[in-house]
Amino acid sequence: MDKPLISRHRVDSDGSLAEPPSGAPKVGILGSGDFARSLATRLVGSGFSVVVGSRNPKRTAGLFPSSTQVTFQEEAVRSPGVIFVAVFREHYSSLCGLSDQLAGKILVDVSNPTEQEHLQHRESNAEYLASLFPTCTVVKAFNVISAWTLQAGPRDGNRQVPICSDQPEAKRIISEMVHAMGFMPLDMGSLASAREVEAMPLCLLPAWKVPALLALGLFVCFFAYNFIRDVLQPYVQEGKNKFYKLPVSVVNTTLPCVAYVLLSLVYLPGVLAAALQLQRGTKYRRFPDWLDHWLQHRKQIGLLSFFCATLHALYSFCLPLRRSHRYDLVNLAVKQVLTNKSHIWVEEEVWRMEIYLSLGVLALGTLSLLAVTSLPSIANSLNWREFSFVQSTLGFVALVLSTLHTLTYGWTRAFEESRYKFYLPPTFTLTLLVPCVVILAKGLFLLRCFRLRLAKIRRGWEKDSAVKFMLPNDSILTEKTSHV
């Protein structure tokens, strides 16, 4: 790839990249690919003197910052004490001719295997590199950082850089370099952990797998339920073909059900955890594994709830644009003319729809605040009390608003016999089960007897302890007690 990811004009325009400071520590890079170019740019900008070893230095010199020395590999490894190996695993053997020059130096392996290579080889790339150069100290680092993050800076990407090596002194030196480049080192232990570190970039959204499957399962179940009620029942019992409702109408009926249930599932594990602590009388016992994993996935479940709610709002805006909706309006007008009805205004329905829409907008707006504050850049700017207020208090407000939105949508339909198609209750009555349990449980925990006992437990009190425990006054307790 001849075209660099960063233009030469951008590099030369920065004086700090054009001329390294005198006495700057020298770092070597073996390789001239995209990652090597980005790495050299970040190192030069962080105050290091960089020398790059390439098989064809004349062709690649123009792709690096002007202050970077690009030369042959033999010359590039002579003076630096730290060498970044930015080549693929299959090219490691081509570096064996440099073993004498590399003796006693620190080799930083930044490579990543493919999924097939990771399964094929039992040893990691870093361990394989260490076996080829036994006189060198190999450190695994920077493999989870993309070339774009190196260019744009850590503010636009993950700041953590996992580091592992068998030599503590080598890890200390590389950790200092990581700090100088604006990242945060994360000690992963010995070089035996390199395989685990190399597996990190191979995982595709590991924290989202269970929440995504949960959302998909809920969507399939509610979609099938709505299909039976709104499409299959009219076709079987009345002979009406309403399969045209599948792409928009049935999907739009399903999305709010999924969003509402997912939102309640964000706060249900906190209720269960509080109940367990009350029953056990201590906070020093582990939660069951399933509950612990559930608590860890609350952020992803909440974001999926917001996603489904946003899609529901967009689909709702599309409903009047459908051709079927226009035909229904025409048929309603014709029916009104034929029956000589000049006024079909229903005051109760008008108020219901006004309140229903208003509550829906408020619920979506509150969910938007929750989604925005879950972003790392926003969350890091909030202190713990502010973050807890938004995620806990406003989140519960969003659940209450969504419940009111659902109730005003259903109104009296749950008590109308015609709404029970195939003897199945309306969909909204099913979605109310879990949220109402959460809201009732939250209300119970606000009672003084439960609130004070739960606060004592979370501040270290134990039921079977002989140590006396004094609580501060209620006002301070309310302000400083964290919520699960």
Side-chain angles (χ1 to χ4, degrees):
M1 183 177 180
D2 293 332
K3 185 178 180 181
L5 294 175
I6 299 183
S7 65
R8 184 181 178 86
H9 174 74
R10 177 180 172 183
V11 172
D12 291 343
S13 64
D14 190 337
S16 64
L17 299 182
E19 292 295 337
S22 59
K26 183 171 286 189
V27 179
I29 299 177
L30 293 177
S32 54
D34 289 340
F35 191 86
R37 300 169 197 165
S38 301
L39 182 60
T41 303
R42 176 55 52 188
L43 286 169
V44 171
S46 302
F48 293 91
S49 176
V50 180
V51 55
V52 177
S54 174
R55 291 173 295 181
N56 194 337
K58 289 185 178 180
R59 187 181 65 178
T60 58
L63 303 178
F64 287 86
S66 58
S67 60
T68 302
Q69 179 186 355
V70 182
T71 182
F72 291 100
Q73 292 179 344
E74 295 80 1
E75 299 178 8
V77 299
R78 286 179 183 173
S79 55
V82 177
I83 308 293
F84 285 86
V85 182
V87 298
F88 291 105
R89 178 187 178 117
E90 57 265 28
H91 300 309
Y92 285 173
S93 57
S94 65
L95 304 176
C96 290
L98 306 174
S99 57
D100 293 337
Q101 295 98 313
L102 292 173
K105 298 182 183 294
I106 298 176
L107 300 183
V108 183
D109 178 37
V110 300
S111 66
N112 279 317
T114 62
E115 291 187 22
Q116 183 178 0
E117 291 172 343
H118 185 70
L119 297 174
Q120 180 182 356
H121 302 295
R122 291 196 174 186
E123 61 179 355
S124 64
N125 289 359
E127 291 173 309
Y128 175 61
L129 182 65
S131 67
L132 295 178
F133 300 93
T135 59
C136 300
T137 301
V138 176
V139 179
K140 186 71 183 184
F142 286 100
N143 67 302
V144 300
I145 302 297
S146 66
W148 170 250
T149 302
L150 284 172
Q151 292 179 16
R155 62 185 181 277
D156 294 326
N158 192 348
R159 291 176 57 88
Q160 287 189 338
V161 176
I163 299 173
C164 61
S165 176
D166 293 332
Q167 298 295 329
E169 180 63 19
K171 285 195 291 186
R172 183 190 65 80
I173 294 174
I174 301 304
S175 296
E176 291 178 355
M177 293 185 62
V178 171
H179 271 299
M181 296 169 68
F183 296 94
M184 295 293 295
L186 178 63
D187 192 347
M188 297 293 292
S190 66
L191 199 61
S193 304
R195 183 172 175 82
E196 178 186 351
V197 175
E198 291 176 1
M200 291 179 179
L202 300 178
C203 300
L204 180 62
L205 303 174
W208 289 84
K209 183 178 180 180
V210 174
L213 290 176
L214 174 63
L216 180 61
L218 287 173
F219 182 86
V220 171
C221 292
F222 280 116
F223 186 87
Y225 191 86
N226 290 323
F227 167 75
I228 294 173
R229 283 179 42 83
D230 299 339
V231 178
L232 191 60
Q233 187 270 344
Y235 182 78
V236 173
Q237 294 187 344
E238 303 175 18
K240 296 180 180 179
N241 187 350
K242 294 191 176 183
F243 285 88
Y244 66 88
K245 289 186 173 183
L246 288 176
V248 178
S249 182
V250 176
V251 172
N252 188 49
T253 307
T254 303
L255 285 172
C257 300
V258 178
Y260 186 35
V261 174
L262 285 177
L263 182 61
S264 64
L265 293 179
V266 173
Y267 297 97
L268 180 59
V271 169
L272 296 177
L276 272 177
Q277 289 179 338
L278 285 172
Q279 186 265 330
R280 294 172 174 176
T282 179
K283 70 172 184 177
Y284 297 110
R285 290 180 58 184
R286 284 181 56 86
F287 294 132
D289 289 340
W290 60 270
L291 181 57
D292 190 53
H293 290 308
W294 193 352
L295 289 167
Q296 294 175 15
H297 286 106
R298 288 181 296 178
K299 174 182 175 180
Q300 289 79 13
I301 296 175
L303 289 175
L304 287 173
S305 172
F306 171 70
F307 174 72
C308 293
T310 304
L311 287 181
H312 169 55
L314 294 176
Y315 268 92
S316 298
F317 281 119
C318 295
L319 291 179
L321 302 178
R322 298 175 304 155
R323 182 67 63 178
S324 58
H325 179 74
R326 300 179 185 180
Y327 288 153
D328 286 339
L329 288 178
V330 173
N331 291 336
L332 181 62
V334 171
K335 183 178 179 180
Q336 182 180 354
V337 171
L338 294 177
T339 55
N340 294 324
K341 290 184 178 180
S342 59
H343 188 73
I344 58 172
W345 181 280
V346 180
E347 189 75 16
E348 180 181 346
E349 281 297 304
V350 171
W351 275 100
R352 183 184 71 84
M353 285 300 298
E354 294 291 327
I355 298 173
Y356 158 70
L357 292 175
S358 178
L359 290 171
V361 172
L362 290 174
L364 182 59
T366 310
L367 275 178
S368 302
L369 285 177
L370 298 177
V372 169
T373 53
S374 67
L375 298 175
S377 57
I378 304 299
N380 292 337
S381 65
L382 303 176
N383 60 40
W384 168 245
R385 186 177 180 186
E386 293 168 342
F387 183 79
S388 177
F389 171 77
V390 173
Q391 295 294 325
S392 181
T393 306
L394 287 186
F396 183 69
V397 170
L399 182 62
V400 173
L401 289 173
S402 300
T403 302
L404 295 176
H405 174 67
T406 305
L407 290 173
T408 52
Y409 168 79
W411 209 247
T412 59
R413 297 179 185 181
F415 309 104
E416 298 175 6
E417 185 178 353
S418 60
R419 300 291 179 178
Y420 288 76
K421 301 176 181 179
F422 278 154
Y423 301 102
L424 297 176
T427 312
F428 75 90
T429 59
L430 301 181
T431 62
L432 284 168
L433 295 177
V434 178
C436 287
V437 169
V438 174
I439 293 174
L440 289 175
K442 286 276 191 178
L444 286 175
F445 291 151
L446 291 177
L447 297 177
R448 181 179 176 84
C449 55
F450 292 113
R451 186 180 77 249
L452 294 181
R453 184 178 177 86
L454 192 58
K456 287 166 59 178
I457 292 173
R458 289 173 175 172
R459 294 173 66 89
W461 177 84
E462 293 186 86
K463 180 172 58 176
D464 299 328
S465 175
V467 179
K468 292 185 178 181
F469 190 88
M470 299 298 293
L471 274 177
N473 58 63
D474 288 353
S475 61
I476 299 178
L477 184 66
T478 304
E479 293 181 359
K480 296 187 177 181
T481 301
S482 60
H483 301 278
V484 175

